[in-house]
Amino acid sequence: MGRAQYTIRRVLQAIPVLLGVVTITYFLMEAMPGDPVSIMLGPSPSAQQAAAIRAKYGLDQPLWLRYLNYLWDVVQLDLGTSLYYEVPVTQKILERMPVTILLLVSSFTFAIVTSVPLGIISAQRRNKPTDHVARVVALLGVSTPSFWIGLVLIIVFAYQVSWFPATNLVLPWASPAEVGVDSQLDVLVTSLHHLVLPTISLGTLQMAALTRIERSSMLEVLGEEYVKLARAYGVKETTILRKHAFRNAQLPLITLLGLQLTSAIGGAVLTETVFSINGMGTLIITAINNQDFALVVGTTLVLGLVFVVGVIITDLSYAYIDPRVTFEDAD
Amino acid sequence: MSEPLLTVENLKTQFFTEEGTVRAVDGVNFEVNEGELVGLVGESGAGKSVAAQSIMRLVEEPGRIVDGTVTFDGKKLVDIEETPDGRMEESDEMLSNREMREQVRGREIAIVFQDPMESLNPVFKVGAQLREFIELNRGVNESEAKTIAVDMLREVGIPEPEARYDDYPHEFSGGMRQRVLIAMALACEPRLIIADEPTTALDVTVEGQILDLVSDLQERYDTAFLWVTHDMGVVAEICDRVNVMYLGEVIEEAEVDDLFHDTKHPYTEALLRSMPRPDRSVESLDPIKGVMPEAINPPSGCRFHTRCPEAREACKEFHPEYQDVSDADEAPHAVSCIKYERVGYEDSDPLQTEATGAFAGGLADMRGDDDGRDPAGVPGGEADE
Ligand SMILES: Nc1ncnc2c1ncn2[C@@H]1O[C@H](COP(=O)(O)OP(=O)(O)O)[C@@H](O)[C@H]1O
Ligand code: SF4
Ligand SMILES: [Mg+2]
């Protein structure tokens, strides 16, 4: 089976997963206590008002019909209207999603860029001081909650020494006028400056976990027979690391990256709260607090989609790096 | 005769593990002449692979070459000497790591490992792997290296080599991969190829084909081989000369015919008796009694005495001298067994072990036996002489 075929198959396999995500979220939300109508209308609304609202949002129909209607709407990319914001859910998501993606991308970039060299150095100097330091840092990193890191970073770097801002995240695509600077480049610089603390806060966990995996998989690969063979044919140690061992050692890392997307999405909710960032995380929390049914289901569905896309990208990069993946699937 | 291509003298390689020092290779001597196919045979765990890797200085932590000299074409690949104050140090003549890498590995000596499934990198195309090593060791450019690689793949019997050049290792069978690895070794035009049980992982038919191929190529390219195996049948089929290893030591060395027809060492004899042959039924096979002791704490005296059918009391005490016992007009035939020395073997009582058939007691007896030799066993064989 070729890579193209494999890609198509993986994408098609995502459809039932997404269907599952919508269904589960939909029924979980249904099962939640509390009546959205009473929240909208405040205490003791008139029966007439309530009935009108129910009819407007289709809440007077039986559950199965509402579910099927919702599915049909989702297929048409209509996620309903937010009760709280009174705008289409898609509009709200389109507004917030890029912010969260920005946060995820920057924290994953930070994690990968630091963990890969750290893990390799650690593996190369196994059981030497550098390795021990790297391992302690990694252990601290995986065992410290991201919101706590965020709070400490804010206290130290935002309030005590004021090196980095802790609130009012500037987005790189904002216009210079909005931000009050001269050029788009200045916007970008300001934005990066703002992103430092949230990125470290969210990325530390991934960085630590990735460093550990990178170290152990590098060690494993360096013990492989083909690495010994390269050495026996006079290949330089640096070339062995860079070429013969590197690619294989990234496979477990990629798997972990895919899995970490879930914890990172969870972490983003907390990080956004700590740094008052208006992303998907704060949107979900607002939605839940206000029993905004359509918004909760819509945001969950979209985050589920992000996760599924992440897993597909993981699998595809795996297949791209390791030629055995598509091959074995064909058997 | 001219100088041998490879001379290994008193080579000792040890692993410093938490359980103690593993004396994997413990004072080994052998030679390989230009264009000769020499066998290194012995049971699993005898130290064959460690010896092979020591020659190329590929032993990894916690292993270390602690003594001995390996000379290849006049170059000292290993040369460890005792300093006046009693420490073991590398001599000035011993090649540096860089010299080993640039002048010896791949260029002068190539190696083929046991497991063809693990020896090729799964994420690179077979051709690219061949090409890289050829470029490095033959000093040719990419396209020349490719030509050499394709020609060599054809030589080792890979059908449609141009097409297979762009295949990944998983698209080859085990036998085909081992052919690729042999092609890889030959393509670098080394003067010596060390083959560490290259056919052990293959089934018998494929093994036969590979052995035929190697015999044929060896004649045509006149490359010397050190062929490591645990299989006397393989030795009989392809080797000119054989070294038999037991527990870190070479205990017999002879030309193949001599070794089979004028066997001197009881261990070699036992190995030969345990070998399946067309003229013998499976029932008449006579496996060697007991298991090889740990290299961490080898038996005192002759290391084979715990399993030797001819062992006597004297064998526990005297570490045999490895010596040539052939007549002047014969090819050299070295052996390490006190039957060939004057240290009182004849007058000594047979040892009570399972192997000598005199074993009467139960485990308690064996334990008594063990206790007796342990204090002497720790400092190693030489101390007993
Ligand atoms: N990395 C290692 N660490 C500890 N002991 C080892 C290591 N490699 C080999 N040995 C020991 O060295 C001895 C010889 O092993 P080896 O050369 O692989 O045997 P053979 O190739 O003859 O089967 C064995 O006792 C084995 O346990
Ligand atoms: S020295 Fe003794 S134990 Fe060793 S091989 Fe010879 S007869 Fe057997
Ligand atoms: Mg071996």
Side-chain angles (χ1 to χ4, degrees):
Chain A
M1 181 162 53
R3 280 180 183 139
Q5 251 178 305
Y6 181 78
T7 309
I8 292 168
R9 223 178 78 179
R10 283 305 284 118
V11 170
L12 290 180
Q13 279 167 350
I15 293 173
V17 177
L18 284 176
L19 187 66
V21 172
V22 190
T23 310
I24 292 173
T25 322
Y26 192 89
F27 286 103
L28 272 181
M29 205 51 208
E30 268 304 327
M32 283 227 319
D35 182 0
V37 178
S38 60
I39 290 181
M40 281 175 82
L41 297 175
S44 53
S46 75
Q48 224 173 346
Q49 267 180 313
I53 288 285
R54 277 178 201 285
K56 180 179 171 199
Y57 290 102
L59 292 172
D60 51 350
Q61 290 162 344
L63 181 60
W64 64 269
L65 192 60
R66 274 185 282 147
Y67 169 67
L68 286 183
N69 280 338
Y70 185 75
L71 272 189
W72 178 235
D73 288 345
V74 168
V75 172
Q76 296 169 296
L77 298 182
D78 174 7
L79 297 176
T81 308
S82 160
L83 294 180
Y84 180 77
Y85 292 102
E86 297 184 324
V87 294
V89 169
T90 40
Q91 183 193 325
K92 214 61 207 165
I93 288 174
L94 281 177
E95 188 184 304
R96 298 292 192 91
M97 197 62 209
V99 181
T100 300
I101 289 185
L102 174 70
L103 197 57
L104 288 176
V105 167
S106 82
S107 65
F108 270 89
T109 310
F110 161 73
I112 294 170
V113 168
T114 49
S115 67
V116 170
L118 213 58
I120 293 178
I121 291 170
S122 213
Q124 243 183 321
R125 320 226 162 118
R126 178 177 16 167
N127 297 331
K128 303 228 169 79
T130 332
D131 181 26
H132 293 310
V133 171
R135 286 167 77 183
V136 169
V137 170
L139 191 67
L140 285 178
V142 283
S143 32
T144 316
S146 64
F147 72 88
W148 189 83
I149 297 178
L151 290 176
V152 171
L153 289 176
I154 290 176
I155 292 168
V156 176
F157 293 101
Y159 290 116
Q160 292 190 341
V161 297
S162 312
W163 286 355
F164 300 103
T167 49
N168 299 324
L169 176 68
V170 171
L171 298 169
W173 51 83
S175 69
E178 270 177 277
V179 186
V181 292
D182 295 335
S183 66
Q184 197 64 39
L185 187 69
D186 290 340
V187 176
L188 201 66
V189 172
T190 319
S191 172
L192 283 177
H193 189 217
H194 272 83
L195 271 171
V196 170
L197 296 188
T199 298
I200 295 177
S201 158
L202 182 55
T204 302
L205 172 70
Q206 341 291 344
M207 185 263 259
L210 292 178
T211 304
R212 282 154 61 112
I213 251 308
E214 179 73 27
R215 176 185 184 272
S216 67
S217 83
M218 202 69 196
L219 276 180
E220 195 184 315
V221 172
L222 285 176
E224 292 283 355
E225 205 84 339
Y226 51 78
V227 167
K228 285 190 192 150
L229 194 76
R231 213 170 270 141
Y233 275 89
V235 180
K236 270 193 284 191
E237 233 24 65
T238 45
T239 314
I240 288 183
L241 266 186
R242 188 172 45 76
K243 184 171 169 191
H244 297 259
F246 184 77
R247 227 170 122 172
N248 307 58
Q250 303 324 303
L251 293 173
L253 191 92
I254 289 171
T255 314
L256 185 69
L257 269 177
L259 294 175
Q260 277 193 331
L261 203 54
T262 14
S263 66
I265 290 172
V269 174
L270 295 173
T271 309
E272 286 176 9
T273 312
V274 171
F275 289 92
S276 328
I277 295 169
N278 287 326
M280 290 294 281
T282 36
L283 185 63
I284 280 201
I285 292 189
T286 313
I288 292 174
N289 285 343
N290 295 291
Q291 294 214 345
D292 190 338
F293 189 89
L295 194 55
V296 174
V297 181
T299 43
T300 313
L301 178 60
V302 169
L303 288 184
L305 180 71
V306 170
F307 181 65
V308 170
V309 168
V311 171
I312 292 178
I313 292 176
T314 307
D315 283 358
L316 293 183
S317 27
Y318 217 107
Y320 183 76
I321 292 186
D322 189 343
R324 288 169 298 182
V325 172
T326 46
F327 179 80
E328 272 158 22
D329 245 64
D331 293 340
Chain B
M1 199 146 78
S2 61
E3 279 287 289
L5 181 63
L6 174 80
T7 312
V8 176
E9 293 163 277
N10 189 35
L11 181 67
K12 290 189 186 176
T13 303
Q14 305 180 341
F15 290 89
F16 299 92
T17 66
E18 277 171 22
E19 293 78 41
T21 304
V22 181
R23 309 166 71 104
V25 173
D26 208 23
V28 149
N29 297 286
F30 63 87
E31 292 166 359
V32 179
N33 293 308
E34 200 96 44
E36 195 184 23
L37 217 159
V38 176
L40 187 61
V41 66
E43 285 166 283
S44 167
K48 307 180 297 292
S49 297
V50 175
Q53 285 169 18
S54 300
I55 293 170
M56 296 182 79
R57 296 210 340 235
L58 291 171
V59 179
E60 283 168 37
E61 289 282 307
R64 193 148 41 83
I65 303 173
V66 297
D67 198 3
T69 306
V70 174
T71 316
F72 180 88
D73 188 31
K75 293 197 241 324
K76 300 281 185 218
L77 309 191
V78 175
D79 194 23
I80 299 182
E81 301 171 331
E82 194 167 347
T83 58
D85 55 344
R87 281 175 303 120
M88 305 307 291
E89 263 186 10
E90 300 177 0
S91 80
D92 297 336
E93 273 182 81
M94 179 162 151
L95 296 195
S96 68
N97 284 335
R98 187 187 173 140
E99 287 168 327
M100 272 309 280
R101 197 181 69 225
E102 289 178 353
Q103 301 173 13
V104 179
R105 293 188 193 138
R107 235 166 235 264
E108 294 275 17
I109 309 180
I111 195 161
V112 180
F113 288 126
Q114 172 166 349
D115 195 341
M117 294 304 190
E118 306 290 330
S119 293
L120 289 167
N121 194 327
V123 306
F124 293 114
K125 290 177 178 167
V126 163
Q129 301 188 46
L130 274 165
R131 201 187 63 217
E132 182 189 3
F133 295 163
I134 294 170
E135 269 182 70
L136 191 65
N137 291 306
R138 296 269 303 264
V140 293
N141 68 28
E142 206 179 303
S143 70
E144 287 167 322
K146 178 170 178 174
T147 314
I148 296 173
V150 171
D151 287 349
M152 202 42 92
L153 287 175
R154 189 176 297 113
E155 279 283 73
V156 298
I158 306 266
E160 298 178 61
E162 285 92 355
R164 301 308 302 255
Y165 185 86
D166 285 321
D167 280 350
Y168 285 99
H170 66 254
E171 294 167 90
F172 286 76
S173 68
M176 283 296 160
R177 280 193 225 189
Q178 203 56 293
R179 282 173 197 261
V180 169
L181 289 160
I182 290 168
M184 190 180 270
L186 283 168
C188 293
E189 295 195 331
R191 287 161 75 191
L192 172 68
I193 294 178
I194 298 177
D196 189 355
E197 311 221 23
T199 57
T200 302
L202 307 177
D203 66 49
V204 188
T205 352
V206 181
E207 173 171 57
Q209 292 165 358
I210 299 271
L211 292 180
D212 288 344
L213 172 76
V214 168
S215 304
D216 175 45
L217 291 173
Q218 197 264 335
E219 261 165 50
R220 298 227 316 274
Y221 287 82
D222 205 32
T223 313
F225 274 81
L226 178 63
W227 198 274
V228 176
T229 177
H230 64 270
D231 187 346
M232 275 292 185
V234 171
V235 169
E237 197 157 329
I238 61 167
C239 293
D240 302 321
R241 214 152 44 76
V242 200
N243 293 275
V244 184
M245 249 187 119
Y246 185 77
L247 206 52
E249 300 179 326
V250 172
I251 49 88
E252 183 165 9
E253 184 250 318
E255 291 189 351
V256 164
D257 284 346
D258 285 348
L259 191 90
F260 278 76
H261 300 115
D262 182 19
T263 315
K264 304 268 191 217
H265 199 284
Y267 175 64
T268 314
E269 228 167 83
L271 265 187
L272 290 172
R273 269 202 311 275
S274 69
M275 176 183 129
R277 279 209 321 235
D279 59 338
R280 267 205 299 241
S281 67
V282 177
E283 297 82 58
S284 69
L285 280 185
D286 183 9
I288 308 177
K289 299 251 166 29
V291 291
M292 195 163 61
E294 295 279 325
I296 222 165
N297 204 346
S300 66
C302 170
R303 291 190 175 174
F304 188 48
H305 83 245
T306 53
R307 300 166 75 196
C308 178
E310 299 173 49
R312 299 206 179 164
E313 289 291 342
C315 302
K316 260 164 57 176
E317 274 143 51
F318 296 96
H319 186 269
E321 183 108 28
Y322 187 51
Q323 54 180 358
D324 189 353
V325 295
S326 61
D327 294 335
D329 56 340
E330 291 173 343
H333 191 151
V335 66
S336 146
C337 168
I338 64 165
K339 285 202 298 180
Y340 305 93
E341 294 177 49
R342 278 193 211 86
V343 291
Y345 175 82
E346 282 79 13
D347 309 327
S348 169
D349 290 331
L351 263 186
Q352 306 276 309
T353 69
E354 195 182 359
T356 56
F359 179 65
L363 268 175
D365 244 44
M366 261 174 86
R367 245 183 245 125
D369 200 74
D370 264 304
D371 288 341
R373 74 161 198 250
D374 266 344
V378 176
E382 298 93 304
D384 310 308
E385 291 184 31

